[in-house]
Amino acid sequence: INTDYPDAPEGVVLNKIYPEIKRLSKLTVQAAAEVLSISDVQKSFELFGYDYMVDEQFNPVLIEVNTNPCLEFACPLLTNLITELIENTIRVAVDTEYPPPSVGFRTRACEEAIELIESNPLKFAQFYP
């Protein structure tokens, strides 16, 4: 951000923008939690798309929340972002519910897959509940 906005405070994304986006996103889920929890489907999750703008003072402003976010690989940047989004969403939402077999019950292919998954740092975290 400092390349495009040289007057931006150092670390503004990690220290101001990202924490506020996380706070606002969590508030929206808390506000809708009662409605969102009504489901006959067990062990499920939903991916929402949040649209934000950032004002001149680097304050994020929530524009809308989508229940059907666009996951189109429209350019190389989106291809990378969406691929990481899907991989990390599965790691947070599915892998925690269905962990791999115990060490003595794993095949070599299973061990290799676990090593590959664990070699990539988890970039997202569940923030609610």
Side-chain angles (χ1 to χ4, degrees):
I1 197 165
N2 291 93
T3 303
D4 294 327
Y5 301 93
D7 295 333
E10 189 66 34
V12 69
V13 173
L14 291 177
N15 297 324
K16 182 175 184 179
I17 297 172
Y18 178 70
E20 183 63 4
I21 286 175
K22 188 174 177 180
R23 185 187 76 78
L24 292 171
S25 299
K26 187 174 182 177
L27 280 174
T28 64
V29 174
Q30 287 172 332
E34 188 174 328
V35 173
L36 293 173
S37 66
I38 300 171
S39 175
D40 294 332
V41 181
Q42 298 298 311
K43 304 280 185 184
S44 63
F45 68 93
E46 187 164 353
L47 177 65
F48 295 101
Y50 283 75
D51 294 343
Y52 284 92
M53 292 180 67
V54 178
D55 69 15
E56 292 90 12
Q57 288 77 42
F58 304 99
N59 297 306
V61 178
L62 177 62
I63 304 301
E64 66 180 352
V65 181
N66 301 294
T67 58
N68 188 19
C70 179
L71 299 176
E72 181 182 352
F73 295 157
C75 68
L77 174 64
L78 285 177
T79 298
N80 290 336
L81 287 173
I82 292 167
T83 299
E84 284 191 10
L85 169 73
I86 293 168
E87 289 175 0
N88 283 273
T89 298
I90 297 301
R91 288 178 69 185
V92 170
V94 177
D95 291 354
T96 55
E97 292 293 323
Y98 301 98
S102 300
V103 175
F105 297 96
R106 297 177 183 171
T107 64
R108 190 174 88 201
C110 181
E111 285 290 348
E112 290 171 358
I114 291 169
E115 286 176 20
L116 179 62
I117 291 168
E118 291 177 349
S119 70
N120 294 309
L122 183 61
K123 296 183 180 176
F124 302 129
Q126 179 178 338
F127 61 78
Y128 186 87

